C-alpha cells in the first residue's frame, strides 16, 4: 500500500496502532504489497502480534459488513444457491460481475488482512516464536486459499517485495506452497506439548490451543487435497491420507470458527437488515423434501403467507420487484441481538465438513478410516448435533430417511432439485454417492457460500436450478460462474503483472474460464 511509503518516521507503537485501525486502502493502490514490517524492523514488541493476528482473522474472513456483502453475499452465496436476490438493483444473481464490488474485496484483503498476516508471519519468525510462527503459516493458508479460489492466479509469493509491479503466482504453484507450509507447521506443532498456549486470548479461533490448531491444520490439508482431486488425483490421495494420519477434527468442540463480539460482529447480522435477499428455491426443495431439522434453524418462515419459501436465482429485474416478505429470511440467530439474534461466530471449518471430505476420499479408494457410508452418516449426525436440538432417534431417522427433494408450489412450477434421498445408496454407483455426499456437505456448510461455491464448481453438485436469465455473454443460464476477473484497480496500476497472470489462466480473463483445480470434464 502506498501509504506505508510516507510513515517511516512514526514510532513502532504508533505505526502498529495505525495498522490495527486502518479501514481501507482503496485509493492509490499501485503499491499494495509494501508491507509494514519494512518500517517496523526488528524492534516490535512481540506482545502486539496477537492483536494483528486477531485482526487478520476477522478481516481475512471479511468481517466488515459492506465488504462481506460484495465479497460473499452477492457472489458466492448466490452461486452456491444458498440465497437469491429479491430486489431489482443487484444483477450478480444474473451472472453479471460488478467491477465496483470486486475491487474493494481485493483491496480490503490486500490492504488489511494481507499486511497483518505478513506482519505476524515475519515477526514470529524473526523472534524465534516457533509455535506462533506455525500457527501463522496455517492461517495464511486458510486466508489465501479463499482468495485464489475466487480469482485463480493472485499476488502471493511476491507480496511484500516493495516493487510497483507485483507478480502473480499460478494457482498450482500456490497450492504447492500451501501443502509445504502445512507440512512445516505440522512438524512444529507435533513436537509441541499440549500445555503450550500461543497468542492466548488474542487468537479468535482457538485461544492459542496448540492441539486444536494441529487438528485444524490437518483438516485444512484434507480440504485442499479434495479440492485437487480431479486435477492431480495422486497428489490429492497423498495429501488426504497424510492429513487423516496426522489427526483431523472429529468433534464439534474443535470446530474452527472466528469468534465475534459486540464490536466485531457477524457481518450477516448487518446485511440482513438491508433486506435484499432471501432463501433460494434450491434450499427450499432440499430442506423441505428431506424434512430437515435444520430448516427452522437456517431460515425463518415467510412473513407474508407463512411457511418456508425460496426464490429462484437469476430472476429478471421485473420479477424481482416484489414483496420480499413472500420469501424466507435467514434464521433468527443471524439477526441483530436486539431482535433476538445471537451474533454467532464466523464459520471456517467444521467436524461435519471433515467427515464429508473423508467420505469422498473413501469413495475414491483412499484410506480415510472408514467406509464412504460410515463417514457420510457421521457427517450428517455431526451436523445435526451441532446445528439443531434433534434427539438421537430423530437424527437416526433422518440418516436412514428415504425422502427426496420436492417440487415447489411457486409461480414457475419448479421441479424437485434432485431425486437423491438422504439414506446412503450403497448400490448407487460413484456419481450418485458423490452427489449425496456433496449435497449433504452443502447443507452442513451453510451459510459458508465461499466454500460451497468452490465445491459446486469442482463437482457440479448440488445440481441446483438454471438461473432464469444471464446478463453475462460468457456464462449461460445453464452454466456456473467459474471465477472473478482481475480487478480494475490492478489493471490500472499493476497491468504488466496482470497481463502475465492472464497467461496463467489457460483461457480468457472472464467468468467462464475454469480455475486450475476445476478440472472435472
Amino acid at each position: 500500500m502506498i501509504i506505508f511509503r510516507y510513515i517511516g518516521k512514526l514510532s513502532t507503537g504508533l505505526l502498529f496502532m495505525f495498522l490495527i485501525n486502518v479501514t481501507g486502502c482503496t485509493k492509490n493502490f499501485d503499491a499494495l504489497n509494501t508491507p509494514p514490517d519494512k518500517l517496523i524492523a526488528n524492534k516490535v514488541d512481540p506482545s502486539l502480534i496477537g492483536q494483528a493476528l486477531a485482526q487478520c482473522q476477522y478481516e481475512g474472513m471479511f468481517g466488515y459488513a459492506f465488504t462481506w456483502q460484495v465479497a460473499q453475499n452477492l457472489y458466492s452465496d448466490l452461486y452456491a444457491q444458498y440465497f437469491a436476490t429479491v430486489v431489482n438493483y443487484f444483477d450478480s444473481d444474473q451472472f453479471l460481475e460488478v467491477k465496483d464490488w470486486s475491487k474493494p474485496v481485493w483491496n480490503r484483503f490486500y490492504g488489511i488482512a494481507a499486511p497483518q498476516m505478513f506482519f505476524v508471519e515475519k515477526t514470529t519468525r524473526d523472534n524465534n516464536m516457533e509455535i506462533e510462527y506455525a500457527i501463522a503459516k496455517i492461517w495464511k493458508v486458510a486466508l489465501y486459499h479463499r482468495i485464489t479460489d475466487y480469482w485463480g492466479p493472485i499476488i502471493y509469493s511476491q507480496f511484500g517485495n516493495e516493487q510497483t509491479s507485483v507478480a502473480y503466482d499460478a494457482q498450482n504453484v500456490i497450492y504447492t506452497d500451501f501443502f509445504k507450509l502445512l507440512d512445516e507447521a505440522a512438524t512444529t506443532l507435533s513436537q509441541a506439548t499440549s500445555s503450550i498456549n500461543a497468542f492466548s486470548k488474542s487468537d479468535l479461533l482457538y485461544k492459542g490451543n496448540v492441539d486444536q490448531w494441529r487438528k485444524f491444520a490437518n483438516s485444512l490439508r484434507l480440504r485442499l487435497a479434495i479440492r485437487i482431486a480431479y486435477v492431480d488425483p495422486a497428489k490429492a490421495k497423498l495429501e488426504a491420507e497424510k492429513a487423516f494420519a496426522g489427526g483431523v477434527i472429529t468433534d464439534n468442540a474443535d470446530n474452527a470458527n472466528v469468534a465475534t463480539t459486540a464490536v466485531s460482529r457477524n457481518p450477516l447480522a448487518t446485511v440482513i437488515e438491508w433486506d435484499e435477499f432471501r432463501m433460494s428455491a434450491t434450499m427450499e426443495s432440499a430442506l423441505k423434501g428431506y424434512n430437515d431439522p435444520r430448516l427452522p434453524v437456517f431460515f425463518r418462515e415467510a412473513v407474508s403467507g407463512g411457511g418456508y419459501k425460496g426464490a429462484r436465482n437469476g430472476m429478471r429485474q421485473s420479477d424481482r420487484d416484489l414483496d420480499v416478505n413472500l420469501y424466507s429470511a435467514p434464521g433468527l440467530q443471524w439477526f441483530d441481538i436486539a431482535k433476538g439474534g445471537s451474533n454467532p461466530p464466523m464459520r471456517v471449518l467444521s467436524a461435519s465438513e471433515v467427515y464429508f471430505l473423508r467420505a469422498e476420499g473413501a469413495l475414491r479408494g483412499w484410506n480415510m478410516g472408514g467406509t464412504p457410508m460410515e463417514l457420510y452418516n457421521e457427517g450428517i449426525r455431526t451436523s445435526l448435533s451441532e446445528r439443531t436440538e434433534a434427539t438421537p432417534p430423530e437424527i437416526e431417522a433422518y440418516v436412514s430417511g428415504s425422502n427426496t427433494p420436492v417440487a415447489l408450489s411457486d409461480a414457475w412450477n419448479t421441479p424437485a432439485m434432485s431425486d437423491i434421498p438422504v439414506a446412503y445408496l450403497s448400490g448407487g454407483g460413484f456419481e450418485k454417492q458423490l452427489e449425496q455426499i456433496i449435497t449433504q456437505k452443502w447443507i452442513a456448510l451453510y451459510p459458508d457460500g465461499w466454500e460451497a461455491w468452490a465445491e459446486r464448481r469442482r463437482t457440479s453438485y448440488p445440481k441446483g436450478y438454471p438461473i432464469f436469465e444471464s446478463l453475462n455473454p460468457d456464462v449461460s443460464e445453464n452454466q456456473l460462474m467459474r471465477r472473478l476477473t482481475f480487478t480494475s484497480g490492478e489493471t490500472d496500476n499493476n497491468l504488466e503483472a496482470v497481463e502475465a497472470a492472464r497467461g496463467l489462466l489457460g483461457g480468457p480473463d472472464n467468468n467462464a474460464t475454469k480455475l486450475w483445480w476445476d478440472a472435472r470434464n
Side-chain angles (χ1 to χ4, degrees):
M1 294 167 297
I2 197 167
I3 197 165
F4 292 124
R5 295 173 181 267
Y6 305 108
I7 56 178
K9 294 183 179 181
L10 287 177
S11 71
T12 295
L14 288 176
L15 172 59
F16 186 78
M17 291 311 295
F18 174 84
L19 290 170
I20 288 292
N21 290 297
V22 66
T23 58
C25 296
T26 58
K27 295 181 180 179
N28 300 320
F29 211 72
D30 59 320
L32 61 84
N33 70 312
T34 307
D37 75 286
K38 180 66 178 179
L39 303 172
I40 294 170
N42 292 320
K43 298 180 181 179
V44 173
D45 179 354
S47 66
L48 293 174
I49 63 174
Q51 298 175 52
L53 175 70
Q55 186 175 32
C56 75
Q57 287 175 332
Y58 184 72
E59 287 288 349
M61 297 297 292
F62 294 99
Y64 176 57
F66 167 74
T67 317
W68 182 86
Q69 182 191 37
V70 294
Q72 178 171 326
N73 186 241
L74 291 173
Y75 283 141
S76 59
D77 282 351
L78 303 178
Y79 306 146
Q81 295 199 355
Y82 281 154
F83 304 128
T85 299
V86 290
V87 293
N88 61 7
Y89 46 82
F90 289 144
D91 294 326
S92 56
D93 208 0
Q94 292 180 278
F95 292 167
L96 185 68
E97 180 184 352
V98 182
K99 290 289 189 178
D100 285 343
W101 298 349
S102 306
K103 181 178 177 180
V105 175
W106 179 276
N107 286 3
R108 191 156 183 109
F109 177 79
Y110 282 105
I112 299 180
Q116 297 289 29
M117 188 71 258
F118 193 102
F119 172 84
V120 173
E121 188 179 14
K122 185 178 188 303
T123 306
T124 54
R125 182 187 67 232
D126 291 351
N127 287 276
N128 297 316
M129 303 169 71
E130 293 183 356
I131 302 302
E132 288 82 358
Y133 185 34
I135 289 174
K137 292 175 183 178
I138 298 165
W139 190 243
K140 178 179 181 178
V141 174
L143 292 193
Y144 274 96
H145 98 74
R146 287 161 51 90
I147 302 303
T148 186
D149 287 351
Y150 256 39
W151 277 277
I154 58 169
I155 293 172
Y156 179 70
S157 67
Q158 295 304 302
F159 181 83
N161 71 3
E162 301 178 73
Q163 303 300 309
T164 55
S165 180
V166 190
Y168 287 53
D169 290 297
Q171 190 173 49
N172 63 313
V173 173
I174 295 170
Y175 263 67
T176 296
D177 194 62
F178 287 163
F179 291 122
K180 175 177 176 289
L181 291 178
L182 292 174
D183 276 337
E184 294 169 354
T187 298
T188 300
L189 295 186
S190 67
Q191 298 170 354
T193 62
S194 300
S195 60
I196 293 177
N197 186 280
F199 297 115
S200 190
K201 294 180 181 180
S202 296
D203 172 16
L204 298 182
L205 269 75
Y206 293 124
K207 296 184 179 179
N209 185 298
V210 170
D211 284 342
Q212 290 179 310
W213 272 103
R214 177 180 52 78
K215 293 175 186 177
F216 174 55
N218 288 321
S219 302
L220 183 60
R221 181 195 297 276
L222 180 58
R223 174 192 279 179
L224 300 182
I226 290 289
R227 188 81 91 239
I228 67 172
Y230 284 105
V231 70
D232 192 345
K235 176 69 169 176
K237 179 178 185 292
L238 174 68
E239 295 294 342
E241 292 184 342
K242 184 189 298 184
F244 171 66
V248 294
I249 296 171
T250 58
D251 188 275
N252 286 320
D254 293 324
N255 288 352
N257 298 311
V258 172
T260 54
T261 69
V263 177
S264 53
R265 302 196 308 163
N266 188 308
L268 185 50
T270 299
V271 178
I272 283 175
E273 296 294 325
W274 301 337
D275 221 20
E276 296 163 333
F277 67 97
R278 287 292 188 269
M279 175 172 73
S280 75
T282 309
M283 286 296 271
E284 180 188 357
S285 177
L287 296 181
K288 272 188 175 178
Y290 292 144
N291 194 24
D292 198 302
R294 290 165 289 195
L295 176 57
V297 178
F298 288 177
F299 297 100
R300 304 181 75 176
E301 292 192 41
V303 174
S304 300
Y308 296 96
K309 300 291 184 182
R312 285 288 296 270
N313 286 97
M315 290 188 290
R316 299 172 180 86
Q317 284 192 355
S318 58
D319 293 331
R320 283 184 273 134
D321 188 15
L322 42 75
D323 179 7
V324 298
N325 290 319
L326 292 169
Y327 301 100
S328 294
L332 181 62
Q333 64 180 300
W334 288 287
F335 276 72
D336 188 89
I337 290 177
K339 295 185 178 182
S342 61
N343 193 27
M346 300 172 68
R347 297 175 66 81
V348 180
L349 199 155
S350 66
S352 58
E353 179 188 348
V354 174
Y355 280 113
F356 291 122
L357 291 168
R358 291 170 62 191
E360 181 179 344
L363 183 63
R364 296 180 181 278
W366 307 345
N367 179 15
M368 293 285 101
T371 67
M373 182 171 70
E374 290 169 344
L375 296 167
Y376 166 81
N377 289 343
E378 197 58 32
I380 297 172
R381 293 187 188 105
T382 306
S383 178
L384 292 176
S385 296
E386 178 197 7
R387 312 299 289 274
T388 76
E389 295 181 357
T391 65
E394 290 170 338
I395 291 174
E396 293 310 310
Y398 181 87
V399 168
S400 61
S402 59
N403 291 347
T404 60
V406 294
L408 308 182
S409 300
D410 58 16
W412 305 282
N413 295 315
T414 299
M417 182 268 287
S418 177
D419 63 354
I420 57 167
V422 176
Y424 193 74
L425 298 171
S426 299
F430 181 91
E431 280 304 319
K432 279 291 185 183
Q433 292 166 349
L434 179 63
E435 183 182 359
Q436 287 187 292
I437 292 168
I438 300 301
T439 299
Q440 284 295 325
K441 179 181 177 183
W442 170 75
I443 296 173
L445 284 169
Y446 176 88
D448 184 3
W450 207 293
E451 184 64 20
W453 179 38
E455 286 296 85
R456 194 163 182 238
R457 284 176 284 166
R458 182 182 69 88
T459 66
S460 301
Y461 301 125
K463 291 179 178 178
Y465 297 112
I467 68 169
F468 277 123
E469 179 183 59
S470 174
L471 301 178
N472 191 325
D474 300 313
V475 187
S476 72
E477 291 83 357
N478 294 302
Q479 295 176 316
L480 293 177
M481 289 279 281
R482 295 293 175 175
R483 60 179 290 271
L484 299 187
T485 60
F486 297 127
T487 70
S488 58
E490 281 291 280
T491 55
D492 290 344
N493 300 304
N494 196 23
L495 182 59
E496 180 182 353
V498 171
E499 292 291 358
R502 285 171 173 158
L504 302 174
L505 282 170
D509 181 15
N510 64 28
N511 303 119
T513 294
K514 292 184 174 185
L515 302 185
W516 165 72
W517 50 253
D518 189 0
R520 179 174 179 168
N521 294 329

